Every structure is written in structure tokens, then in C-alpha cells.
Amino acid sequence: MTLSPFAYRRTYPLRNGYAVTFSLDGLQLQVEWSPDLPQGRQARKLVKGYRLARHRFIASLGVNALVVEL
């Protein structure tokens, strides 16, 4: 992922050694997982932490936002 030097980025540690990084570059929101995208049971264990991190990231922007999960 190539971000402009003006992109806003925050990383949030999750459980079991995972972390999620949210980046806002213009109007584009990007998400990166480290060390990789969790799958199956591990993914389900991280959902609550991911949602909290996403909420904190959006709140740090100082804007109101509606998040729709599909």
C-alpha cells in the first residue's frame, strides 16, 4: 500500500500477537493486519477488539461516522 506523506495512520494492538493499522488518505480508508489477516476461529476471537480499534480510530478523526458492516 502506498500512502501519501499526509495520510493519517494509527496502529492498534489486538490479542494473540495481532495488530490492525487503519490509514486514512484523502477519502480512502485502508486496513492492514499484522502479521497477516486472521482466519476462522482466530478471526472470530478478534472481532470485538477490531471493532473497538476501528471505533477509536474514527473517534480520533474528530468526525461523526456511520459504519456499516456487510
Side-chain angles (χ1 to χ4, degrees):
M1 162 174 64
T2 304
L3 297 173
S4 78
F6 302 107
Y8 180 73
R9 168 182 259 180
R10 293 287 181 267
T11 299
Y12 299 89
L14 302 176
R15 59 194 289 189
N16 298 330
Y18 280 88
V20 63
T21 300
F22 296 93
S23 303
L24 184 64
D25 193 3
L27 296 176
Q28 185 174 4
L29 177 64
Q30 298 178 9
V31 180
E32 290 180 63
W33 286 87
S34 177
D36 55 7
L37 182 65
Q39 301 293 319
R41 178 182 280 169
Q42 187 63 42
R44 288 188 296 278
K45 289 181 181 180
L46 295 172
V47 168
K48 184 176 179 180
Y50 167 81
R51 288 177 177 154
L52 179 59
R54 183 184 62 202
H55 172 77
R56 288 180 176 164
F57 178 78
I58 293 170
S60 75
L61 297 172
V63 298
N64 292 324
L66 172 66
V67 176
V68 178
E69 290 185 12
L70 302 175

